[in-house]
Amino acid sequence: SFNLGTNAVHFQASRVLSLMAKELRLSQDASVYEALANKIKQAINVHLWIPGKGYYGQYLYGRTSKILSPRSEALGEALCVLFGIAGHERAKSVIEKTPQLPFGIPCIYPQIDHIAPYHNRAVWPFVQSYWAMAAARSGNEEAVMSSIASIYRPAALFLTNKENFVADNGDYKGTEINSSNMLWSLSGNIALVHKIIFGMSFETDGLHVNPFVPGSLAGKRSLSNIRYRDAIISISLEGYGNHIRSASINGRPVKQVLIPAGSKGVYDISIILDDQMIGGTIHVASNLTSPPTPIATKSGNSLQWAPVDGAVAYDIIQNGKVISRITDSTWNHSGKSFNSYQVMAVDKNGTTSFASEPVEFNTNGYMLIEAEDFVSKSVLPYKGFSGSGFVETG
């Protein structure tokens, strides 16, 4: 799959396998999985990042020439921040620029026409929880607070942790499927306290504690009798911010709050934050819906499609690249080789539809496939090849 979220999970799985292999002193396996993780990370950042928008696209799709769906995919965006796929600047940009709605961050944006609220046109508390953790990781106070509001509001209003709710009005009525006892919504709710407010992070070397307390939630709070392996931990927390002014473990001052993985016994942690506002901005957008997908067909040397409701223009895609924007519903092919065309409808907001199914024109009677598009190019200094390079064989 060329999907953002799927590849983020494969990156993290490969990274964890590498760490496991290192623990087992299997250095060769560790190197293999680490290399795979790095390859996936690079591919995500090269092929799925949208520079003009400042966040990642949804996935690559198509046949001979892939194109990037410019929709945001909230869970995938959050995982790229949490797993470190996005560097510091990109992580900050993702949280600030990915479109959010007044009732929370939708699973995808913009929405798809004529599909009832479930993944489309819906907010999921568990996705919002990952978004909140990613927002804390990138240091965005406003995004954390809007996430907390998005999760607490329906939990308080419906007196339970629903599976999802309609993005337009925040109500669970109207969703295609729902549950009143959705455990990942509940665990996400709890994670707001454990993993953000108290900042507990389970790492290979132990339990790290780095609280993130928005200014509007300033005050004193505590957690008691937390079981971590063979240790029992209690935490008292005071102030606001995401930097520790002072901390102690069992009365002993420390600069870093860490309970090592092999710890045993009782640990009382006391933390006072620096009372500095964290800051950050978010992009609250109107809930737009993309136009329907054109159905393109071939007639002689022409590409044709029926006019799409709400469309003011059409983008013509040739071999994966947009080459023209027109207002007609016909495109004349004049190339003298293999070409694959797709059409995207564009509405008055500039929102594009999905691209049509590819329509292929094969004037020469054959299709040219460049080997270097699929395997590594040779570095030898020869000339006279077609495409962008050549491949060594034998």
Side-chain angles (χ1 to χ4, degrees):
S1 171
F2 296 103
N3 171 264
L4 177 66
T6 300
N7 278 283
V9 170
H10 277 275
F11 161 81
Q12 186 70 351
S14 300
R15 178 176 171 271
V16 170
L17 284 169
S18 176
L19 293 172
M20 292 168 67
K22 288 177 182 177
E23 284 289 319
L24 297 171
R25 298 183 181 179
L26 302 174
S27 58
Q28 185 173 353
D29 290 340
S31 297
V32 169
Y33 288 119
E34 185 176 8
L36 178 57
N38 290 335
K39 187 176 181 180
I40 296 171
K41 176 180 178 178
Q42 181 183 20
I44 290 172
N45 281 304
V46 169
H47 298 292
L48 299 181
W49 180 255
I50 312 175
K53 293 183 179 291
Y55 50 84
Y56 295 96
Q58 187 180 24
Y59 49 65
L60 299 179
Y61 68 111
R63 287 189 189 146
T64 56
S65 301
K66 301 287 191 293
I67 61 174
L68 175 59
S69 170
R71 278 179 169 79
S72 63
E73 188 232 308
L75 183 57
E77 312 281 354
L79 294 181
C80 284
V81 174
L82 285 171
F83 295 159
I85 295 169
H88 175 73
E89 290 303 318
R90 282 194 175 184
K92 186 172 180 288
S93 175
V94 165
I95 301 301
E96 288 183 347
K97 295 182 179 180
T98 301
Q100 303 183 47
L101 304 175
F103 288 102
I105 188 159
C107 291
I108 60 171
Y109 184 94
Q111 311 306 319
I112 305 172
D113 194 32
H114 300 307
I115 294 181
Y118 188 57
H119 293 119
N120 186 64
R121 203 180 295 280
V123 174
W124 289 55
F126 102 87
V127 173
Q128 191 79 57
S129 301
Y130 276 108
W131 187 259
M133 289 188 286
R137 178 70 60 88
S138 72
N140 192 313
E141 181 175 358
E142 187 172 353
V144 169
M145 278 305 300
S146 67
S147 295
I148 290 174
S150 176
I151 293 167
Y152 282 4
R153 184 201 63 82
L157 186 62
F158 307 136
L159 302 180
T160 187
N161 292 271
K162 289 285 188 180
E163 181 180 6
N164 56 80
F165 48 92
V166 179
D168 291 311
N169 58 25
D171 197 343
Y172 70 91
K173 292 182 179 180
T175 55
E176 196 78 346
I177 305 172
N178 219 306
S179 169
S180 292
N181 303 289
M182 186 51 64
L183 293 182
W184 57 8
S185 297
L186 174 60
S187 60
N189 192 323
I190 295 172
L192 298 178
V193 175
H194 287 188
K195 295 191 173 185
I196 297 178
I197 300 298
F198 283 88
M200 293 192 294
S201 176
F202 301 96
E203 307 296 339
T204 55
D205 59 345
L207 173 62
H208 292 250
V209 182
N210 293 288
F212 187 109
V213 181
S216 57
L217 299 181
K220 296 181 179 181
R221 47 181 55 88
S222 63
L223 282 179
S224 301
N225 298 317
I226 305 161
R227 182 174 293 278
Y228 172 64
R229 296 189 175 190
D230 293 326
I232 301 295
I233 301 166
S234 294
I235 307 173
S236 65
L237 177 61
E238 181 178 346
Y240 64 92
N242 63 343
H243 293 102
I244 296 173
R245 176 183 295 166
S246 62
S248 64
I249 300 177
N250 291 340
R252 180 175 59 86
V254 294
K255 291 184 178 180
Q256 179 187 25
V257 182
L258 167 64
I259 306 300
S263 298
K264 297 182 179 181
V266 177
Y267 292 85
D268 290 316
I269 300 172
S270 177
I271 299 174
I272 300 176
L273 298 176
D274 65 356
D275 289 348
Q276 296 296 313
M277 296 298 289
I278 303 167
T281 61
I282 61 174
H283 174 204
V284 179
S286 300
N287 196 18
L288 299 179
T289 299
S290 60
T293 305
I295 299 175
T297 58
K298 181 167 60 173
S299 176
N301 284 329
S302 295
L303 184 69
Q304 300 178 346
W305 58 96
V308 172
D309 289 343
V312 297
Y314 302 93
D315 283 345
I316 306 300
I317 302 169
Q318 182 185 48
N319 301 328
K321 304 291 183 183
V322 176
I323 60 169
S324 184
R325 177 167 288 187
I326 64 174
T327 55
D328 295 332
S329 56
T330 300
W331 173 261
N332 293 320
H333 164 71
S334 58
K336 294 184 179 181
S337 61
F338 174 87
N339 284 284
S340 175
Y341 289 100
Q342 294 170 276
V343 182
M344 289 192 300
V346 186
D347 69 12
K348 64 180 181 180
N349 298 309
T351 305
T352 56
S353 70
F354 285 108
S356 67
E357 184 176 359
V359 176
E360 297 168 351
F361 289 82
N362 198 352
T363 307
N364 286 340
Y366 64 86
M367 180 172 65
L368 180 64
I369 298 176
E370 298 287 352
E372 68 273 10
D373 291 339
F374 301 93
V375 295
S376 299
K377 291 186 285 190
S378 172
V379 296
L380 294 174
Y382 299 133
K383 305 294 182 182
F385 50 81
S386 64
S388 62
F390 65 94
V391 173
E392 296 180 63
T393 60

